[in-house]
Amino acid sequence: MRVALIGQPNCGKSTLFNQVAGYKAETGNFSGTTVTYTESRVRVGGEVIELVDLPGAYTLAGLSPAEREAARYLNSRDVDVIINVADSTHLASALDLTLELLLLNKPLILSLNMMDDAARSGLRIDGEGLSCELGIPVMPLIASKGRGVKQLFLKALELGRSKNGHRKNIEPNSDAAQRHLLAGALANRFVTRGERRLTWRDQLDDVLLHPVWGYAILLLVLYLFFQAVYGIGKLVEPPVLAFFDALTKSLLAPLAKGSFLFEILLGIMQGVAAGVAIVLPYLTPFLFGLGLLEDIGYLPRVAFMMDALMHRIGLHGKAIVPFILGYGCNVPAVMSTRTLEEPRDRYLAAALATLVPCAARLAVVFGLVAFYLGPVAAFVLYLFNLVVIALVGRVLSKLMPEDTPGLILEMPTYRVPTLKNVTSKVWFRVREFIVEAWPALIVGSAVLATLNFFHVAGIFDLLVRPITWMLGLPSKVGVPLIFGILRKELSLVMLSQALGSTNFASMLTITQMVVYATFVMFYIPCLATLAALRRELGTRAMLVIAALTIVVALAASLLVRIVALIL
Amino acid sequence: MRLSDAPLNKIVKVIGVEESNLQLKLSQYGLFKGDCLRVIRSAPLDGPLLIEVNGRTFALGRRVAKKVLVEEVSCESH
């Protein structure tokens, strides 16, 4: 049996999905976290069902690719039961979609999610009355706390077995405006508005969206976030690194120095150590902080505040989501451009998002610049990155004139993040690093050790010598730069391998470190991001964007070099 | 009156949208002609407006708001 979850953006579909399927779908308190469908087999009441989490859609006739994906799935696949997840606090608009789903004439359940929020806002919903009127089961749910989940799925099972469509008390209407009127009328009839208690949630926006304080707080939040990531990373990195150094020494002690086995093992150990000691200490707190901000619902507020500024780079505030996701990883950032309606916006947002330093490049910046020059230097480099992105955006938007009306974005209510959800989210992404990136780091490091042993690494170095020469970098950094295209972490890990030391200060001057970090920050996104670009925008766009990043990287790091020379 | 000129915290009713494309798009977010809404916040420097409609809050870019025509009325549902 196949059960599909569908609902308007940010109604908690993925939260419900994760409650039954384990943490498999990304969640966040803003529209459009889910851009493609996730399927999972789950066991309900002794039966295995295929559960599908579809991207949020205000309507099945939506224009954004994420919405089209949802509609396509419902039309093409054999779905036995549709669970329409609705945010009970906005029942009037949620019913728009419910009434549209009636048109599909498939077994349908309306699941009223966030009943706790509704109660807090003084809303009382007559679920039975609504169920009679619509002719479909209506079930209460608090997905975030797991309440009502079991009953909901037992109901779905029952409905799927009986294969009954809905009783036609309401004639499905194919006109959207008519449905909207009916939805409003239904909501008026079955929702009683009680006394609305003003909560901190209502007052929070007065501060966070304040024309002056809002921006000050935004800067403060970003600064504290940065300091926290740096503080934790710096605390953890040295002892772990020391541990691995000692471990490597004792492991390699019985081997003859300079032998092939010695060099390979050394390479492997450097890869292992880099993953645990250099990447994870920064990646984990970063993902934790990002997860917190996502679940609180702060990101759409950032979009609201940044809209005016984003217009100056030819985009609107909604494109801030790919940007912010980009700091975690460019792949979801590129994928999240699907929530933008216009192809031109998607292209521009994707191109600019690949210039955002992801967590892997963060490791390079922190491992080199912050570690040796202090956190302020890293912060300045991040600001410089923003300036460059703004400039590139301006130039690109001149080439691709804007014809879109601009921002339309729903502001979710603030929610208190649950530790469980945030930690599962962090684990979801850290696991990805451990499973996919870390082995690549280790293999890459071993491959480089082999290349070094047979003295063939020089060929790679020679290939990119024009670039390294222009930037005043030692030719040996050519290999880490090339391998950095595979995984960005490699450009740091293999740097230690190429230079033969993890103490970068002894091998590179300060200027060289900053220039190198700047170049790594901008040049060709990693292979996974390139693949995502190709999937979303096509091969040509991918090549153009990759070429663009090289030009930008060269210009930016040359500028840094010149400034450093003058200083 | 254009939505961008609507006074803060006054309930207004949508009477039209200047571009049919935009009208379609807004309707996909559940915003139709005849809906009553309230501007609750306006970002500085020609930034977006925050509006409340049917109990939901939306940010609308200034250029979007300029194309939405509204009139001041007393709406029953509010």
Side-chain angles (χ1 to χ4, degrees):
Chain A
M1 186 182 298
R2 182 175 273 131
V3 177
L5 300 178
I6 186 157
Q8 295 180 335
N10 207 33
C11 69
K13 291 171 299 299
S14 299
T15 310
L16 173 62
F17 181 82
N18 289 342
Q19 281 284 357
V20 260
Y23 201 95
K24 283 188 184 145
E26 287 259 20
T27 59
N29 188 8
F30 55 89
S31 309
T33 318
T34 309
V35 286
T36 178
Y37 62 85
T38 318
E39 287 178 321
S40 178
R41 278 166 193 283
V42 296
R43 188 171 274 280
V44 181
E47 194 167 329
V48 176
I49 59 169
E50 190 84 24
L51 187 63
V52 195
D53 179 30
L54 295 174
Y58 286 99
T59 159
L60 293 180
L63 293 177
S64 81
E67 284 175 323
R68 273 190 299 222
E69 176 99 41
R72 196 162 42 229
Y73 192 96
L74 282 183
N75 288 324
S76 67
R77 298 292 188 97
D78 201 16
V79 176
D80 297 296
V81 181
I82 301 173
I83 296 181
N84 174 204
V85 183
D87 179 347
S88 346
T89 56
H90 313 314
L91 198 60
S93 31
L95 285 174
D96 270 11
L97 180 66
T98 312
L99 292 174
E100 192 178 3
L101 288 170
L102 284 178
L103 284 170
L104 294 175
N105 206 15
K106 281 191 179 165
L108 178 67
I109 301 179
L110 175 60
S111 152
L112 299 177
N113 193 16
M114 307 183 191
M115 287 300 277
D116 48 344
D117 280 349
R120 212 170 10 244
S121 326
L123 299 174
R124 287 235 317 278
I125 301 170
D126 175 9
E128 261 175 52
L130 194 59
S131 169
C132 279
E133 188 70 28
L134 291 172
I136 56 170
V138 174
M139 308 287 289
L141 178 72
I142 307 175
S144 60
K145 297 186 180 132
R147 288 196 205 138
V149 175
K150 198 168 173 208
Q151 292 87 324
L152 175 64
F153 280 97
L154 287 177
K155 191 58 147 184
L157 215 57
E158 186 191 317
L159 205 63
R161 285 204 194 106
S162 67
K163 298 263 172 204
N164 279 341
H166 61 95
R167 287 158 292 164
K168 280 181 185 155
N169 292 7
I170 285 183
E171 214 34 60
N173 195 319
S174 54
D175 181 63
Q178 291 289 328
R179 282 200 305 265
H180 182 65
L181 283 178
L182 183 57
L186 283 175
N188 266 340
R189 226 175 108 197
F190 295 107
V191 181
T192 356
R193 269 166 214 280
E195 190 59 36
R196 188 191 152 107
R197 276 169 284 165
L198 270 186
T199 57
W200 56 272
R201 289 161 220 258
D202 298 289
Q203 281 143 19
L204 204 53
D205 269 344
D206 286 341
V207 184
L208 292 185
L209 295 181
H210 189 275
V212 178
W213 301 123
Y215 292 92
I217 291 171
L218 175 60
L219 272 180
L220 188 72
V221 167
L222 291 181
Y223 180 74
L224 287 179
F225 187 14
F226 222 74
Q227 280 291 346
V229 171
Y230 172 74
I232 295 171
K234 181 103 179 172
L235 205 66
V236 179
E237 182 181 339
V240 179
L241 209 54
F243 167 78
F244 273 100
D245 271 351
L247 185 68
T248 311
K249 275 214 182 77
S250 59
L251 264 179
L252 296 181
L255 298 171
K257 202 171 174 180
S259 69
F260 181 61
L261 196 61
F262 180 92
E263 293 297 330
I264 286 280
L265 270 179
L266 184 64
I268 289 173
M269 282 311 287
Q270 274 171 344
V272 173
V276 187
I278 304 181
V279 182
L280 280 180
Y282 296 106
L283 186 66
T284 317
F286 173 82
L287 292 176
F288 194 83
L290 191 68
L292 272 183
L293 291 179
E294 276 176 10
D295 282 8
I296 290 171
Y298 188 56
L299 298 188
R301 269 80 191 177
V302 178
F304 176 78
M305 285 193 286
M306 298 305 284
D307 187 56
L309 218 64
M310 295 292 281
H311 271 293
R312 311 230 187 286
I313 60 169
L315 284 166
H316 56 72
K318 205 170 172 182
I320 198 84
V321 173
F323 274 83
I324 294 177
L325 288 179
Y327 283 98
C329 174
N330 284 179
V331 175
V334 170
M335 285 174 67
S336 73
T337 58
R338 272 188 218 174
T339 56
L340 301 171
E341 285 94 353
E342 306 297 328
R344 173 236 179 233
D345 285 359
R346 285 201 290 275
Y347 193 103
L348 193 53
L352 295 181
T354 52
L355 295 175
V356 172
C358 63
R361 287 181 268 186
L362 168 110
V364 182
V365 172
F366 274 81
L368 272 179
V369 179
F371 194 80
Y372 292 103
L373 280 88
V376 179
F379 192 65
V380 170
L381 203 55
Y382 267 69
L383 287 183
F384 174 65
N385 175 271
L386 280 179
V387 175
V388 172
I389 291 177
L391 278 175
V392 174
R394 264 205 94 80
V395 173
L396 285 183
S397 63
K398 282 271 178 305
L399 298 174
M400 293 186 278
E402 187 181 8
D403 53 358
T404 55
L407 177 72
I408 308 172
L409 179 66
E410 182 165 3
M411 291 284 129
T413 35
Y414 289 106
R415 295 185 200 291
V416 182
T418 62
L419 191 65
K420 186 183 160 215
N421 199 35
V422 176
T423 43
S424 357
K425 195 191 300 237
V426 171
W427 173 237
F428 184 73
R429 296 173 185 170
V430 164
R431 188 181 54 193
E432 209 172 70
F433 168 78
I434 294 177
V435 176
E436 286 172 22
W438 204 23
L441 286 183
I442 297 169
V443 171
S445 195
V447 167
L448 184 59
T450 315
L451 293 180
N452 270 339
F453 185 79
F454 294 108
H455 304 285
V456 283
I459 300 168
F460 289 100
D461 291 336
L462 217 59
L463 262 173
V464 280
R465 186 62 193 141
I467 291 176
T468 49
W469 174 80
M470 222 186 319
L471 300 178
L473 295 171
S475 67
K476 275 187 171 170
V477 304
V479 172
L481 282 181
I482 286 184
F483 277 77
I485 297 173
L486 297 178
R487 301 281 324 178
K488 287 294 151 185
E489 297 93 338
L490 284 174
S491 51
L492 180 68
V493 176
M494 303 190 64
L495 186 64
S496 59
Q497 175 65 246
L499 297 174
S501 165
T502 46
N503 181 15
F504 297 118
S506 65
M507 314 301 290
L508 294 170
T509 67
I510 286 181
T511 309
Q512 283 175 327
M513 282 191 214
V514 181
V515 168
Y516 183 78
T518 311
F519 190 79
V520 170
M521 220 173 190
F522 291 110
Y523 89 112
I524 312 184
C526 71
L527 216 57
T529 309
L530 287 174
L533 281 172
R534 182 158 169 247
R535 210 166 42 232
E536 299 298 324
L537 304 167
T539 310
R540 211 181 94 94
M542 174 196 82
L543 292 175
V544 171
I545 292 175
L548 172 83
T549 59
I550 296 184
V551 174
V552 173
L554 265 180
S557 38
L558 263 179
L559 182 71
V560 168
R561 189 183 177 203
I562 292 166
V563 170
L565 283 179
I566 296 167
L567 292 175
Chain B
M1 172 175 57
R2 288 169 195 285
L3 180 58
S4 48
D5 303 322
L8 279 185
N9 289 315
K10 275 266 164 56
I11 290 170
V12 294
K13 186 176 182 175
V14 181
I15 52 173
V17 181
E18 275 184 355
E19 266 172 39
S20 59
N21 246 345
L22 181 61
Q23 179 168 5
L24 182 72
K25 212 153 114 185
L26 286 172
S27 72
Q28 281 160 357
Y29 283 87
L31 192 68
F32 288 82
K33 219 158 38 172
D35 275 335
C36 287
L37 52 85
R38 194 164 64 96
V39 179
I40 47 178
R41 214 175 286 278
S42 163
L45 302 168
D46 270 348
L49 302 175
L50 212 58
I51 62 159
E52 197 185 83
V53 54
N54 297 328
R56 290 156 74 185
T57 313
F58 280 100
L60 289 188
R62 185 74 52 165
R63 301 225 315 259
V64 176
K66 272 185 184 155
K67 289 180 183 135
V68 177
L69 302 171
V70 295
E71 63 178 17
E72 261 182 81
V73 279
S74 55
C75 276
E76 296 146 25
S77 58
H78 277 258

